[in-house]
Amino acid sequence: MEKVVLLLSMLSLGVSSQPITDVQRLFSIAVSRVQHLHLLAQRLISDFESSLQTEEQRQLNKIFLQDSCNSDYIISPIDKHETQRSSVLKLLSISYRLVECWEFPSRSLSGGSAPRNQISRSLTELKRGIVLLITANQDGAEFFPESSPLQLAPYGNFYQGLGADESLRRTYELLACFKKDMHKVETYLTVAKCRLSPEANCTL
Amino acid sequence: MMKTSAEVNLLLLLLVFTLHVKGMRYSPPGKPALTRCRSPEKETFTCWWESGSDGGLPTTHALFYRKENSEAVYECPDYRTAGENSCFFNKNNTSIWVSYNITVVASNALGSTFSDPVDIDVVYIVKPNHPEMVTVTVLEDKGWPFLRVSWEPPHKADTRSGWITLIYELRVKLEEENDWEMHLAGQQKMFNIFSLRSGGTYLVQVRCKPDHGFWSEWSSTSYIKVPDYIQREKPMWVLITCFCAFIFLILTWLLHMNGHSLKDFILPPVPGPKIRGFDKQLLKNGKSDEIFSSLVVSGFPPTTSPNCEDLLVEYLEVYVPEEQELMEESKDLHDICLKSEGCTSDSDSGRGSCDSHTLLMDKFREAKEEKRQRDQEKSRTGTEDQRQQKDWEEEGLTYAYEDMVSPNISSGRVKTWPSLFSPLPQYSSSRHNQKSSLEKAKKHCFSDSLFPPGSTSFSLDQGGQTTMEAIRSSNREFSLRIKQPHLLHSHTQARCQLQAHSEVNISSIGCKQALGGLRSPAPHSAEYVEVQRVNEENTVLLQPVESGHGHIDGCSQLPLGKDYSRVQGVDRYNRLLLKGEVPQEGDCLYDYQDMTGDRTENCYTSSSVPSIQKPTACIHTVIMGHDEMVLAENGYIDTLTARTLPNY
């Protein structure tokens, strides 16, 4: 959190001065944060699956196949080739949208050891970092996601209308989708970072 | 696709029917199962299955899959690339973050069997290949070697674009051990291993894992041998060196603490012969006969009962210089003596002599030098020498011993036995030890043979005891003046009563030699004092020696049965007071200072010498020191410290 604010101030002061280094640092911070979120999601779902019984696990698998994630409408590259073709800015924007769409629904996630709002706060910080990165890449141009306000409402309603019976399934779906989206963001950010890094081998 | 499956089913039914008609039992294939699906680089993946029983009929397997959110069923595009019972999905058929529903179907003539479907997401089935190009080298860091392991990611994994992020792990072990040492290397492609065993062979392996996936297989083993960098024996030698240094320090300290006693133990001081005139070569030659013969005094021990009159030793020559000189001398010496008079000495201490002893000696030396110079100025004749020499016959027994310091002073005035009276300090200071006293007494050794015949000699008996005591002074040096060796009485009884002590023997030898040496340069004659007897008053009656040579001024006209002096007594300063009785001249009173502080020894002719080892009494002594007998007015005694004292 503090690092993002610091980086923000540094960026606002002088982006032109060594922009690559600052961007690299921003990327590194963003990647590390999303990695943390992904690991968190993995832990959540594994805890959830371990708490289920065998029969319920089979049902969940089938359920998962039939339902889809709420973030499926966001078109994102699904293989390496497409990812390589996408520009950094596109990757950043997609990441931004993914993070944003989970910013509020993540509050309903059943956190294991972490409090419920922690994920939401992390997502918010990550969103800000991505905004910074977009701003740095666009060289001052204001980024305005086109459909962000529209995206918010359906998710909120989508999960709030569920009943208690569906909670188990929904929770599982939520956790699975969250985990997948975090992995997506992590991959996109890593690819974008490596593309911008001066070193060819992209070693952290 | 459905048509083909229907056709297959029809064929199978026909086949089964045919076989059934033939009477053979066949069954549809068993249920296959998907074992695993793996993606090496998150771009392609492969699934493997196991087939069940074939039912006796040739069966075929087919893999069908369905992507999420789609109802389309696809069959495996590639059954061969990955080997038997496998299905390989290439890049075009692989989608990330998309769930696949995969089913395997086993079919034979009689039927087909479906396996259980498996849902996979390629992202979570990534298992990369093992790292490649693992190199291990030995590098040195300040003389200490370490291993540097470096590797490359598997060539298929695209870590360069960041598509896949790999973390690495390596393990190391010694060749002869069984336990591996694991090291997590993170995302770096190089790792250092320290703390190596000298001369050991290490095995190194590396594997990798994507951030969310499975560990790869271990790479092929790399062997590396560490050179010997620790000398095996060095620590032992260092330990031995330290131990020896420690022992050495302890020994040094011990030696330092006990240095003197150890030195005395190992190298005891060798006493040398301190007898003047004694030929050391005799000792070195090692012929005991010669040695003893030189030490032996003829006529020792005395066979006849010693009589006071008989046991006279004349060994002293009293030099009687000219009267003026004497007076001067006496004055000088008197002054000196007076000065030294104040020196206190214990009555029973062997040390007796005062510290001013040496001072006195020095002064006397100077006086002697002056005196000699004066003498030299005068014409030297034998008569003069004779005059200077004085033999003193006195009843009192006094011996003047000139300090040994000036043995060479003269063939003139003073004759001493240089080697005879070596510095007393050498002797043991045990006063009450007869031996020690005797040692000192050896100084006063008067060998009968040393004395030329004709001279009376007086012997000290065991006044000997007191004699010893007198002589005991460690600082005392006695020099015997031999005026004329040939005047020495050759009384058998007068002899230097030598103690059995070897030292005394030596001293006697020294005496002998000294005397022998002195004989030649002694052209002049001297008169000796002969102790006649000791009267009941404990006065030593001295008789002048009959010699035709000496003219002694003053009291020197001894030869004719004069009583030179009587021992008046011993004053409170332990000085022997002699009284010279010369009809012509006045009484000569001489005081002989007893430096030792003891009573002046008297020579007793008693045969009993209790304290002395030898039955014979030792002759001599008295006295003291460096005093030179100065001839008194009657010229009897010529001592340095002659002084006149009032008669008691």
Side-chain angles (χ1 to χ4, degrees):
Chain A
M1 177 62 176
E2 295 80 14
K3 293 180 187 177
V4 175
V5 173
L6 187 65
L7 287 169
L8 189 65
S9 61
M10 286 169 68
L11 273 178
S12 63
L13 282 174
V15 175
S16 61
S17 63
Q18 296 178 348
I20 295 175
T21 309
D22 295 335
V23 169
Q24 287 295 318
R25 287 186 60 195
L26 283 173
F27 265 113
S28 301
I29 295 165
V31 167
S32 65
R33 285 184 179 273
V34 77
Q35 278 177 346
H36 169 70
L37 285 167
H38 184 218
L39 289 171
L40 198 61
Q42 268 188 331
R43 192 163 70 228
L44 286 173
I45 201 165
S46 63
D47 293 342
F48 183 77
E49 283 178 347
S50 61
S51 68
L52 295 176
Q53 296 177 6
T54 314
E55 287 296 324
E56 290 172 336
Q57 280 181 351
R58 289 181 184 175
Q59 289 177 355
L60 285 171
N61 285 332
K62 291 177 180 176
I63 292 167
F64 181 68
L65 282 173
Q66 294 169 2
D67 295 334
S68 61
C69 289
N70 51 3
S71 59
D72 288 340
Y73 71 95
I74 302 172
I75 298 170
S76 57
I78 55 171
D79 62 0
K80 178 187 167 185
H81 183 66
E82 291 181 12
T83 309
Q84 298 284 17
R85 277 193 303 161
S86 304
S87 65
V88 172
L89 196 58
K90 184 180 176 184
L91 291 172
L92 285 172
S93 64
I94 294 168
S95 302
Y96 173 81
R97 289 170 70 181
L98 285 169
V99 171
E100 189 188 31
C101 81
W102 279 103
E103 192 175 350
F104 292 103
S106 61
R107 293 177 184 174
S108 62
L109 293 171
S110 59
S113 57
R116 215 174 256 194
N117 291 334
Q118 183 184 3
I119 298 172
S120 180
R121 277 200 296 269
S122 301
L123 285 169
T124 309
E125 290 168 8
L126 183 62
K127 191 175 76 171
R128 287 180 197 166
I130 296 172
V131 167
L132 286 172
L133 288 168
I134 292 167
T135 312
N137 275 306
Q138 280 187 330
D139 293 334
E142 189 74 19
F143 174 75
F144 189 75
E146 51 267 12
S147 60
S148 57
L150 297 173
Q151 303 297 330
L152 195 60
Y155 295 135
N157 296 330
F158 184 74
Y159 290 109
Q160 288 176 359
L162 295 173
D165 298 334
E166 304 290 329
S167 60
L168 193 67
R169 201 177 70 183
R170 284 296 172 194
T171 305
Y172 184 77
E173 282 179 359
L174 216 59
L175 290 170
C177 290
F178 178 64
K179 186 175 86 169
K180 187 174 76 174
D181 288 339
M182 288 303 104
H183 191 246
K184 275 187 183 178
V185 172
E186 181 186 348
T187 305
Y188 298 149
L189 288 177
T190 305
V191 171
K193 174 180 175 293
C194 287
R195 199 178 294 177
L196 290 179
S197 74
E199 299 173 359
N201 51 4
C202 190
T203 53
L204 295 176
Chain B
M1 283 179 291
M2 294 298 292
K3 286 182 182 177
T4 52
S5 64
E7 286 170 2
V8 166
N9 289 335
L10 195 63
L11 283 168
L12 284 171
L13 283 170
L14 285 170
L15 189 62
V16 167
F17 182 76
T18 312
L19 290 171
H20 187 69
V21 168
K22 290 183 178 178
M24 299 174 70
R25 290 185 70 87
Y26 296 103
S27 62
K31 188 177 183 180
L34 278 166
T35 53
R36 61 189 178 99
C37 294
R38 289 288 181 263
S39 169
E41 75 282 77
K42 209 158 74 173
E43 297 170 29
T44 65
F45 71 102
T46 309
C47 285
W48 290 270
W49 67 83
E50 285 181 351
S51 60
S53 61
D54 59 351
L57 295 170
T59 57
T60 58
H61 294 87
L63 186 140
F64 299 98
Y65 66 93
R66 187 168 71 87
K67 289 188 180 180
E68 67 177 30
N69 302 330
S70 170
E71 293 294 328
V73 177
Y74 302 95
E75 191 177 356
C76 174
D78 190 347
Y79 287 103
R80 295 180 185 177
T81 306
E84 191 75 22
N85 294 340
S86 69
C87 177
F88 174 75
F89 295 83
N90 58 8
K91 291 183 184 180
N92 297 329
N93 296 325
T94 305
S95 299
I96 314 298
W97 299 296
V98 172
S99 295
Y100 281 77
N101 189 309
I102 298 172
T103 311
V104 176
V105 176
S107 306
N108 61 6
L110 295 178
S112 61
T113 312
F114 287 84
S115 65
D116 293 331
V118 170
D119 293 316
I120 57 162
D121 194 341
V122 179
V123 174
Y124 300 111
I125 59 164
V126 180
K127 181 182 175 182
N129 295 325
H130 59 80
E132 298 167 356
M133 294 177 64
V134 178
T135 59
V136 186
T137 53
V138 180
L139 300 178
E140 279 201 2
D141 173 35
K142 295 177 186 176
W144 300 98
F146 65 95
L147 291 179
R148 171 160 288 182
V149 188
S150 63
W151 57 86
E152 291 296 321
H155 65 278
K156 287 186 180 176
D158 185 10
T159 54
R160 187 170 294 192
S161 63
W163 179 246
I164 187 166
T165 307
L166 295 174
I167 57 174
Y168 302 94
E169 187 183 41
L170 54 82
R171 64 179 186 182
V172 183
K173 79 163 182 150
L174 278 166
E175 191 172 16
E176 54 269 15
E177 290 185 3
N178 295 326
D179 296 331
W180 289 93
E181 185 180 335
M182 312 297 285
H183 297 282
L184 194 65
Q187 294 182 16
Q188 61 196 26
K189 299 186 183 61
M190 179 260 297
F191 196 78
N192 296 327
I193 299 172
F194 298 92
S195 299
L196 302 174
R197 182 179 297 184
S198 171
T201 302
Y202 283 90
L203 281 66
V204 181
Q205 286 182 329
V206 191
R207 67 176 183 180
C208 58
K209 177 177 97 75
D211 47 0
H212 315 286
F214 300 97
W215 280 105
S216 69
E217 296 296 328
W218 287 104
S219 65
S220 57
T221 307
S222 298
Y223 293 89
I224 187 73
K225 187 177 186 309
V226 180
D228 293 324
Y229 62 95
I230 294 179
Q231 298 296 330
R232 293 263 174 208
E233 298 172 352
K234 208 179 194 181
M236 188 179 74
W237 285 114
V238 169
L239 200 66
I240 288 174
T241 306
C242 288
F243 186 68
C244 288
F246 182 66
I247 297 288
F248 177 72
L249 280 173
I250 290 180
L251 284 175
T252 307
W253 180 76
L254 282 173
L255 273 175
H256 175 70
M257 297 300 287
N258 303 328
H260 290 289
S261 61
L262 201 65
K263 183 187 165 191
D264 289 338
F265 180 73
I266 291 175
L267 300 171
V270 177
K274 300 290 180 180
I275 305 169
R276 282 178 180 268
F278 181 74
D279 189 8
K280 293 185 186 179
Q281 282 301 321
L282 283 177
L283 287 177
K284 290 182 184 176
N285 293 337
K287 296 179 182 175
S288 56
D289 294 338
E290 292 179 358
I291 295 170
F292 289 130
S293 64
S294 63
L295 292 174
V296 165
V297 177
S298 62
F300 180 83
T303 52
T304 59
S305 64
N307 191 7
C308 189
E309 297 174 349
D310 292 334
L311 292 176
L312 295 176
V313 176
E314 294 179 343
Y315 59 93
L316 276 183
E317 286 185 353
V318 179
Y319 288 91
V320 183
E322 290 184 354
E323 199 166 351
Q324 283 184 345
E325 296 170 334
L326 285 174
M327 293 309 294
E328 292 172 2
E329 260 187 344
S330 66
K331 285 178 188 172
D332 298 335
L333 294 169
H334 182 59
D335 295 335
I336 295 165
C337 289
L338 284 175
K339 288 174 193 171
S340 65
E341 201 175 340
C343 83
T344 58
S345 54
D346 300 335
S347 63
D348 62 343
S349 71
R351 292 188 302 274
S353 63
C354 307
D355 292 339
S356 60
H357 175 77
T358 53
L359 178 64
L360 274 173
M361 290 198 295
D362 293 337
K363 287 186 182 175
F364 289 144
R365 218 174 301 148
E366 292 173 2
K368 278 189 227 170
E369 289 294 339
E370 292 175 0
K371 193 176 178 184
R372 184 164 67 166
Q373 285 173 2
R374 277 178 282 167
D375 292 339
Q376 285 172 353
E377 289 173 1
K378 301 170 187 174
S379 59
R380 290 244 180 186
T381 59
T383 55
E384 276 202 0
D385 292 341
Q386 289 176 4
R387 261 183 291 147
Q388 290 174 357
Q389 298 170 1
K390 199 166 203 173
D391 55 47
W392 54 281
E393 291 178 341
E394 289 177 353
E395 294 182 352
L397 224 193
T398 59
Y399 297 89
Y401 295 89
E402 185 174 335
D403 190 4
M404 289 306 301
V405 177
S406 59
N408 300 323
I409 278 195
S410 69
S411 59
R413 291 178 24 223
V414 175
K415 297 211 174 174
T416 63
W417 290 353
S419 63
L420 179 57
F421 307 102
S422 55
L424 272 176
Q426 284 188 359
Y427 298 117
S428 62
S429 60
S430 111
R431 320 174 188 169
H432 305 286
N433 187 359
Q434 278 296 326
K435 279 189 183 176
S436 63
S437 62
L438 289 175
E439 289 174 11
K440 292 174 187 170
K442 79 181 178 182
K443 287 193 166 177
H444 318 281
C445 111
F446 300 95
S447 167
D448 197 21
S449 59
L450 296 176
F451 302 113
S455 62
T456 58
S457 61
F458 39 85
S459 62
L460 280 181
D461 74 334
Q462 126 67 22
Q465 173 118 36
T466 57
T467 301
M468 311 307 164
E469 294 173 354
I471 304 167
R472 237 183 339 206
S473 163
S474 62
N475 294 326
R476 187 183 320 192
E477 291 182 355
F478 295 94
S479 65
L480 190 61
R481 272 201 256 171
I482 303 174
K483 310 274 176 156
Q484 276 197 344
H486 65 276
L487 289 179
L488 286 174
H489 191 47
S490 61
H491 240 290
T492 58
Q493 294 169 346
R495 54 181 152 254
C496 179
Q497 309 236 346
L498 299 173
Q499 311 305 323
H501 214 280
S502 61
E503 289 179 346
V504 180
N505 291 335
I506 293 168
S507 65
S508 70
I509 291 174
C511 295
K512 185 178 185 179
Q513 289 186 351
L515 281 174
L518 283 172
R519 269 179 211 181
S520 46
H524 41 271
S525 65
E527 291 182 351
Y528 294 92
V529 174
E530 173 182 351
V531 174
Q532 197 172 21
R533 66 176 186 279
V534 179
N535 59 5
E536 46 279 23
E537 296 171 0
N538 284 337
T539 57
V540 177
L541 303 174
L542 297 175
Q543 269 186 352
V545 175
E546 293 194 29
S547 67
H549 304 283
H551 300 297
I552 301 170
D553 296 338
C555 300
S556 63
Q557 297 175 9
L558 302 171
L560 298 174
K562 287 185 202 165
D563 287 343
Y564 282 100
S565 62
R566 296 178 179 235
V567 174
Q568 201 69 16
V570 180
D571 68 347
R572 56 197 171 97
Y573 298 106
N574 288 329
R575 292 175 299 188
L576 187 67
L577 303 174
L578 299 177
K579 182 181 177 184
E581 293 177 66
V582 176
Q584 300 92 336
E585 299 172 358
D587 294 339
C588 307
L589 293 178
Y590 308 97
D591 296 340
Y592 302 97
Q593 188 176 8
D594 186 348
M595 299 302 294
T596 59
D598 290 340
R599 193 164 55 88
T600 59
E601 301 85 356
N602 295 328
C603 179
Y604 299 97
T605 58
S606 65
S607 61
S608 64
V609 184
S611 60
I612 304 177
Q613 280 185 350
K614 289 295 166 84
T616 58
C618 185
I619 307 170
H620 60 264
T621 105
V622 194
I623 313 201
M624 334 337 207
H626 37 271
D627 296 347
E628 186 178 358
M629 300 288 285
V630 178
L631 194 60
E633 55 184 7
N634 54 6
Y636 281 171
I637 301 168
D638 181 13
T639 65
L640 289 175
T641 57
R643 64 183 95 162
T644 56
L645 284 180
N647 294 334
Y648 283 103

